[in-house]
Every structure is written in C-alpha cells, then in structure tokens.
Amino acid sequence: MAQYDVIIIGAGPGGYVSAIRCAQLGLKTAVVEGRDTLGGTCLNVGCIPSKALLHASHMLHEAEHNFAAMGLKGKSPSVDWEQMKSYKDETIGQNTTGIEFLFKKNKIDWLRGWGTIPEAGKVKVGDEVHEAKNIVIASGSVPSSLPGVEVDEKIVVTSTGALELAKIPKKLTVIGAGVIGLELGSVYARLGSDVTVVEYLDAVCPGMDKDVQRSFKRILEKQGMKFIMGAAVSGVETTKTKAKVKYTLKKTGSEEVLDADVVLVATGRKPFTDGLGLDALGVKLSERGQIATDAHWATSVKGIYAIGDAIDGPMLAHKAEDEGMAVAEVLAGKKGHVNYGVIPGVVYTTPEVATVGQTEADLKAAGRKVKTGKFMFMGNARAKTVHQGEGFVKLIVDKETDRILGCSIIGPGAGDMIHEICVAMEFGASAQDIALTCHAHPTYSEAVREAALACGDGAIHA
Ligand code: NAI
C-alpha cells in the first residue's frame, strides 16, 4: 500500500494543476483518474475540443464572408466533417499527453480508476487502498438534466455528444442561451445548420452586463442564429431520426413545438460527486448539492478538501486551477489565496465576450456610485481592418476614486484583452492608470485604453 502526502481525486484543470503545485512544493502526490486520458472534462470533452471546432468553423466563416473583399477569390472550402473531428481529436491528444508528460516530470503517480473514500486518509481505487495525509476532491461537474428530456447523445445531446455528432444537422435546437449553447450553437450555425436557441430568460448569458447581452444577441442573430426568448422547454419527443422540442412562451402561456434533427441541452452543470462515498463519510453538501468548504477549501471532514466545479462559485477551469494551486499551498503549510472578485469569464464566439468584476447593474443595485467608460470597436483601426468592428469595451469605475470595479468586452481578442483589466484590478488601479499607460498602435487593446479615457476627459477616437 502506497503512502502519499496528498491524493487528488480527478485530473481536470483543478486536480492536475493542484497535483503539479503539490509536487513542486515537495509533497508526495498521486492523482486518481478514471478516464483513459488526463485533463478532465475541459481537455477531453469541453474547453479544448470546442475551441478546435470554433476555430475551424470561424476559418470557414472568414472564407465565405470576408475573403473575396480582401482579394482572396475562388471557391469557399467545403466541410469534411470527419477530418474536422480528427483535427479536434488531435488537439485533445496533444494536450492530454502533455499533462501525462508533466506528471512524469513532477513524479506524480496516476492511480487509474474511479476513487472512493472509505474513510479520511484512505482512497480506494479498484481493489487497492492508498493512504494519504490529505485528500483533495476535484471531481468536477456533469451536465444537469432537464425534466422531460432524455439525453441519448445522438439526437438529444449534451455538450459531450455535440462534439461528436455523426453529421452536421440541418436543424439544431439549442436549449439554453448560456455559454455552452452559444459557443456550440455558433459552431453549427457557421457549418451550415439552421440553429434556434430556446431560452427561458429574456436575455442571453445570465448575469452579464445588459449592454453586452443585447449587443451579443444582435450580433449572433446577424450571423444567422435564431432566438426564442422567454420560453420554458418542458420536454423533447424523439423518433429514430428527429426530435420535437416542446416549450411554453412565458408571456402568453401558449404551448409551442419546434422540429429539430438534433437538440443540444445546455441548461447548466451540476457537481459530480457520485461514488465518492461522501454520504457515509459525513461530508457536508450545500443546498445546491455542492461540497461545502471553508475559506481554505477544507470540507466538514478533517483531511478532506475540495475545489473546482464540485464546490461553490463559477464553474470555470481557471477558477478550479487557482483553487488547485492555492489548496496545494495550504497543504504545504503556506498561505494559499484566491481573489474571487477578479475571475474573468470568456465566451469564445466571434466576437469573443469577456467579463471581470461586477456589472453596472449589480453595483447600482448595491447602492454604489459608479461611472462608466465605453468605447466602440468601430473606432479601433485594427478591428476594422480585420472585419471585426462590432462590439465595445465597457469599463465600470468608482465615481469618486476612479478605481476599476468591473469590465465587459465584446469584440476581437476580448478573452486575451480582459487580463489587462484583471491585473489592473489586482493592483487596485484606477481608469486613469490605464489611460496614462502607452498602448501600442494599432492593437485591439487600444480600445481598453480609450474606454479608460472615456471614464475621464473623453476617448480620442469616439
Ligand atoms: P448556463 O448556466 O451558462 O446557461 C444555461 C441557460 O439555460 C440559462 O440561460 C437558463 O436560463 C437556460 N435554461 C435552463 N432551463 C431552461 C429551460 N427549461 N428552457 C429554456 N432555457 C432554460 O449553462 P451552460 O451554458 O450549460 O454552461 C454550464 C457551465 O459550464 C457554466 O457554469 C459555464 O460557465 C461553464 N462553461 C464555461 C465555458 C467558458 O468559460 N467558455 C464554456 C462552457 C461551459
């Protein structure tokens, strides 16, 4: 029986990053993972494969819509769906084997199989029991189910099945206008599917800045996606090859039906804790079924910690990574910390949408006095050059102190640009700090500086 300082359950971004940091800090570390490859949902059936399909379908969109205007003439490429899926799988393979390499380099043991915790200090994998001073649960999440909707991963799919469809559907209905629905919906819209998104709320991407929600939906509509808002899906009926999505329009109460070849259920995710034995151990869960932890990721049972999608907070790979590193530091006797106020969120559509901090609406609702600076990408030379002049940067700052409280960007490269604001917020910077920082020309980032200038005496190119 092997003895470890730490056993981590789950090799997703939370678990594998935590393992590497534990090993770097001198702890003897093992990771339990039941999949055939490391990397969890993110690398195998989430962030990474969807980005491959988003990239490939974006290239097609460029060829179809923008090449001719740039003098690139000729027939647009046709889609070889099998090859596109192989390219996606290759991308997954490069990343998952990369983590295997990092495990070997850091002398981390991979305990292959699904783990249970028979008691604190012990993890059972198959017939073997391994001992550890501390256990970190990083078991992630799975798609939540919707009453009346049975997923078969062929006609009615979650994000997992949507990455592996046998063919590109003629008609795709997406339930839920959240991140998954909009990213994968836009992949298939670009590949030629007739995509309709049915959403319960009146706006896309719940919780986002209202200006962004409106602009984002308009842009996606221009790209051909259709939306039925304020509609509660109550069930899906399937035949061998087709589906009927039943929904009720909240305003009128009328019951409607939508035909589809494929239905993507993207109505949220829930913690995956099945089989860990948490009940018997007495590990406390929150009302929402998440593992309850204290400020140092300790559960109610001594020696058992939890991070990532299995606990409270946004279900984001990078939030799990940060918690993974921080809990490793706690276990090594250092001071691990995560600033939950500065966790960016990105939607990888074209244009990208990125947010950090609080929204104008939330701040105003909390009674804060704020001012905003907004700059449209239409005034950014670089964005116009690449046919991406839609969208804007919106900065929210404290009215008195000018300190940055939040930012939303919809536009080219938004997911990378948001980090300038994350760093600024970590340093307690003001909009003026950004405005006084020289930004290279011509870059998309100039739009961030212009938004900062708009918080003061005014943007230059507005
Ligand atoms: P979500 O919570 O973002 O959105 C789900 C949407 O479904 C909501 O707008 C909700 O109102 C709607 N909905 C729920 N029940 C409905 C019904 N019966 N009829 C119609 N609409 C209904 O969930 P999503 O998109 O499934 O994503 C799950 C998690 O994965 C999220 O926490 C997300 O942040 C994360 N994720 C993040 C990504 C990224 O950062 N780029 C990519 C993919 C997932």
Side-chain angles (χ1 to χ4, degrees):
M1 185 165 61
Q3 282 285 136
Y4 292 98
D5 292 317
V6 190
I7 294 182
I8 293 162
I9 301 183
Y16 88 72
V17 167
S18 189
I20 293 170
R21 179 57 97 231
C22 283
Q24 286 171 337
L25 295 173
L27 302 174
K28 187 168 166 50
T29 307
V31 176
V32 186
E33 175 55 59
R35 280 181 203 267
D36 293 338
T37 47
L38 301 172
T41 299
C42 173
L43 270 75
N44 289 284
V45 288
C47 328
I48 300 303
S50 62
K51 257 77 278 170
L53 295 183
L54 278 158
H55 177 66
S57 61
H58 173 61
M59 292 287 116
L60 177 68
H61 179 92
E62 287 295 285
E64 285 173 345
H65 297 272
N66 294 325
F67 274 19
M70 293 187 286
L72 300 168
K73 299 250 164 117
K75 234 175 110 220
S76 287
S78 60
V79 178
D80 178 342
W81 180 229
E82 291 308 312
Q83 177 56 32
M84 200 179 282
K85 285 192 284 183
S86 302
Y87 148 69
K88 169 203 59 138
D89 292 339
E90 221 170 275
T91 316
I92 296 171
Q94 281 165 7
N95 284 284
T96 54
T97 50
I99 297 173
E100 247 182 282
F101 163 78
L102 291 173
F103 271 23
K104 284 189 190 124
K105 183 179 159 197
N106 288 285
K107 301 191 171 49
I108 297 163
D109 288 344
W110 174 3
L111 309 174
R112 289 172 190 255
W114 301 101
T116 35
I117 311 172
E119 60 186 273
K122 290 198 167 97
V123 177
K124 190 164 182 255
V125 186
D127 295 332
E128 281 188 56
V129 177
H130 305 267
E131 286 196 352
K133 286 184 203 136
N134 289 297
I135 296 167
V136 178
I137 300 169
S139 51
S141 62
V142 287
S144 32
S145 51
L146 196 58
V149 181
E150 209 170 300
V151 170
D152 61 13
E153 295 296 11
K154 286 196 166 56
I155 293 180
V156 182
V157 299
T158 64
S159 51
T160 304
L163 298 167
E164 278 302 324
L165 294 182
K167 57 181 187 191
I168 296 164
K170 276 206 175 75
K171 274 186 163 197
L172 172 70
T173 297
V174 178
I175 310 175
V179 190
I180 293 181
L182 299 185
E183 285 188 359
L184 289 172
S186 68
V187 164
Y188 285 101
R190 291 177 203 159
L191 295 178
S193 301
D194 177 1
V195 178
T196 305
V197 183
V198 185
E199 166 58 48
Y200 180 79
L201 300 172
D202 296 320
V204 301
C205 291
M208 262 192 201
D209 178 275
K210 291 195 180 356
D211 282 350
V212 173
Q213 289 177 326
R214 275 192 293 270
S215 171
F216 193 21
K217 179 164 169 275
R218 212 170 38 234
I219 291 171
L220 292 173
E221 278 169 337
K222 263 172 68 184
Q223 293 175 5
M225 284 170 70
K226 293 178 208 138
F227 289 87
I228 301 172
M229 306 303 288
V233 171
S234 53
V236 177
E237 273 174 22
T238 51
T239 62
K240 250 188 182 161
T241 54
K242 299 253 179 240
K244 280 186 189 303
V245 178
K246 293 191 285 182
Y247 62 91
T248 310
L249 285 173
K250 284 195 293 174
K251 237 186 202 159
T252 58
S254 72
E255 304 213 343
E256 311 279 337
V257 177
L258 194 63
D259 291 326
D261 299 305
V262 171
V263 178
L264 166 60
V265 186
T267 51
R269 297 178 65 86
K270 59 177 185 195
F272 174 57
T273 53
D274 295 357
L276 290 173
L278 301 187
D279 251 10
L281 279 165
V283 170
K284 283 204 181 108
L285 300 185
S286 70
E287 272 172 25
R288 298 172 61 198
Q290 298 153 322
I291 299 174
T293 55
D294 70 8
H296 296 105
W297 306 280
T299 69
S300 55
V301 176
K302 201 171 179 313
I304 302 181
Y305 295 76
I307 58 167
D309 284 9
I311 70 167
D312 191 24
M315 289 184 164
L316 297 170
H318 44 279
K319 174 258 194 189
E321 288 180 22
D322 278 27
E323 289 173 342
M325 285 191 277
V327 79
E329 278 161 27
V330 169
L331 297 179
K334 297 171 157 246
K335 297 209 179 331
H337 176 72
V338 174
N339 180 359
Y340 288 101
V342 187
I343 294 184
V346 181
V347 191
Y348 296 87
T349 42
T350 304
E352 288 182 351
V353 179
T355 59
V356 68
Q358 289 171 276
T359 63
E360 186 183 2
D362 285 345
L363 286 160
K364 282 186 174 162
R368 289 288 291 267
K369 289 207 165 64
V370 295
K371 58 182 176 176
T372 59
K374 194 169 170 186
F375 185 77
M376 309 300 286
F377 276 101
M378 207 21 107
N380 178 274
R382 182 72 180 277
K384 278 187 292 192
T385 314
V386 299
H387 308 285
Q388 288 205 51
E390 285 182 305
F392 54 83
V393 177
K394 180 174 172 180
L395 207 54
I396 303 109
V397 301
D398 185 281
K399 198 167 186 185
E400 284 196 347
T401 64
D402 197 39
R403 187 179 174 140
I404 300 169
L405 302 172
C407 180
S408 296
I409 308 177
I410 174 164
D416 288 293
M417 275 192 288
I418 196 73
H419 299 107
E420 175 174 359
I421 302 301
C422 295
V423 174
M425 286 177 73
E426 286 288 358
F427 281 82
S430 64
Q432 198 182 29
D433 289 320
I434 303 259
L436 291 173
T437 303
C438 183
H439 284 60
H441 176 73
T443 56
Y444 307 136
S445 295
E446 285 175 286
V448 174
R449 184 194 201 180
E450 292 269 27
L453 283 162
C455 290
D457 294 332
I460 301 296
H461 295 89

